[in-house]
Amino acid sequence: MRIPSNREFTRITPSAFSYHRLKSYVSDCRAVLLPSFGGPHLLELRSHVQVPPLKPHEVLVRTRAVSVNPLDTRMRAGYGRSIFGRLLPLILGRDVSGEVAAVGASVTSLSVGEQVFGALHPTAVRGTYTDYAILSEDEVTPKPDSLSHVEASAIPFAALTAWRGLKCTARISEGQRILVVGGGGAVGLTAIQLAAAAGCSVVTTCGSQSVERLLAAGAEQAVDYVAEDVELAIKGKFDAVLDTIGVSETERIGINFLKRGGHYMTLQGEAASLADRYGLAIGLPAATALLLNKQLLYRCTHGIEYSWTYMRADSDGLNEIRKLCQAGKMKIPVYKTFPITQVKDAHEAKDKRLIPGKIVLEFD
């Protein structure tokens, strides 16, 4: 495939000439395909994978870096098979940082050649493990100059997940108390940074190796859940609890720490797992019934709101995240990078927990 220079990139308009130019330069590219569910050995880096034509609201991004999210490894292993199984082969990947290569006819906020970062929604079939990623206009924003592509690619999906829970669901505000259960991961870390930037008092639980890092990120108290009794170490009640672990014990603890009228949000919603187990026709209604039952139960017994939190595209949220990054108030440390040619090694390292933090894949 010939890689175009910036001046050869183009705005996609309805004219045949513009479409012809795009197809002349970016008709196909490298991409990591997942032909079937299973281990890292199934990932295939292929050349000449077709690049679909852009829709009016879409942006073509020349990928420079993508992060490996837990969702990527879970999807590779079969999570969401009830939805994605019939759509194989998949291209994994949600985060991306790179340059705008082309824009659809309706795109007004971005220009060709602009450095951008962003994230696809969780159900996207054509992900970002590819030389040329396609995202909607509201899924990307200009990359902060203070961040490299590697650093920027680690942030959007995790930060937007935290944003969804804290800002859209709980609507946190200055002066409130926020508990982040499991602050050591990327979502937990960005939740602490978001809440601290909003003027909230933040407490978190984490492993011993993360205590100092989370205190530096803005937490007022970081409790080692292995060495300490969380229920004794943490005092007072909270306006919102974001639970990144989502097991029955952390749910019980989180619920009991909430004030009446507070919000409990877990990342471990059961819609996909129940659909995988029983099929879409039974699993999705069962998940809806389970969620409604819990919402009613906790509303009656504790006077709190209960919800499952997922990442969703949010242009306002992404812009605020960009501003926080630019101001030095949000950053996720990258522990190791791999070239895209070593994507199998990257996934294996993640599966075996050989690397404690973020892994990023780099593109040449």
Side-chain angles (χ1 to χ4, degrees), residues 177-200:
R177 297 192 76 215
I178 310 300
L179 174 62
V180 178
V181 179
V187 175
L189 175 59
T190 53
I192 292 167
Q193 293 170 333
L194 281 170
C200 297

Side-chain angles (χ1 to χ4, degrees), residues 46 50 64 87 94 109 112 127 155 286 292-293 313:
R46 297 185 190 174
Q50 183 182 8
R64 298 302 178 189
L87 302 174
R94 292 296 172 263
S109 65
V112 169
I155 295 170
L292 289 173
N293 181 63

Side-chain angles (χ1 to χ4, degrees), residues 184-250:
V187 175
L189 175 59
T190 53
I192 292 167
Q193 293 170 333
L194 281 170
C200 297
S201 171
V202 188
V203 175
T204 187
T205 65
C206 59
S208 59
Q209 72 280 4
S210 299
V211 169
E212 293 303 320
R213 177 165 57 90
L214 299 186
L215 290 173
E220 296 183 3
Q221 182 184 11
V223 178
D224 179 352
Y225 60 81
V226 175
E228 300 182 68
D229 185 323
V230 171
E231 293 176 277
L232 295 177
I234 298 175
K235 307 299 182 184
K237 297 287 188 176
F238 294 85
D239 297 283
V241 173
L242 180 63
D243 185 355
T244 72
I245 308 300
V247 296
S248 57
E249 181 66 2
T250 59

Side-chain angles (χ1 to χ4, degrees), residues 266 269-270 274 285-299 306-310:
T266 175
E270 299 188 52
L274 288 173
T288 301
L290 176 62
L291 176 60
L292 289 173
N293 181 63
K294 284 197 170 188
Q295 288 174 331
L296 289 172
L297 172 65
Y298 288 130
R299 200 171 292 158
Y306 175 98
S307 61
W308 296 342
T309 294
Y310 305 96

Side-chain angles (χ1 to χ4, degrees), residues 30-33 39-46 66-68 73 76 129 131 336-351 354-355 359-364:
R30 294 180 306 168
V32 177
L33 297 185
H41 67 282
L42 294 171
L43 296 169
E44 299 178 8
L45 179 60
R46 297 185 190 174
V66 301
S67 74
V68 179
T73 56
R76 189 210 68 228
Y129 288 13
D131 285 325
K336 188 172 179 60
T337 63
F338 289 82
I340 190 60
T341 53
Q342 295 178 17
V343 62
K344 294 180 184 179
D345 295 333
H347 269 242
E348 184 173 359
K350 203 67 179 173
D351 282 357
L354 301 177
I355 298 166
I359 293 175
V360 167
L361 300 170
E362 292 189 90
F363 288 71
D364 49 32

Side-chain angles (χ1 to χ4, degrees), residues 39-75:
H41 67 282
L42 294 171
L43 296 169
E44 299 178 8
L45 179 60
R46 297 185 190 174
S47 302
H48 309 300
V49 176
Q50 183 182 8
V51 177
L54 289 185
K55 296 175 183 177
H57 65 283
E58 290 181 332
V59 178
L60 184 70
V61 176
R62 174 64 172 99
T63 306
R64 298 302 178 189
V66 301
S67 74
V68 179
N69 283 297
L71 180 61
D72 301 341
T73 56
R74 292 179 70 191
M75 284 180 62

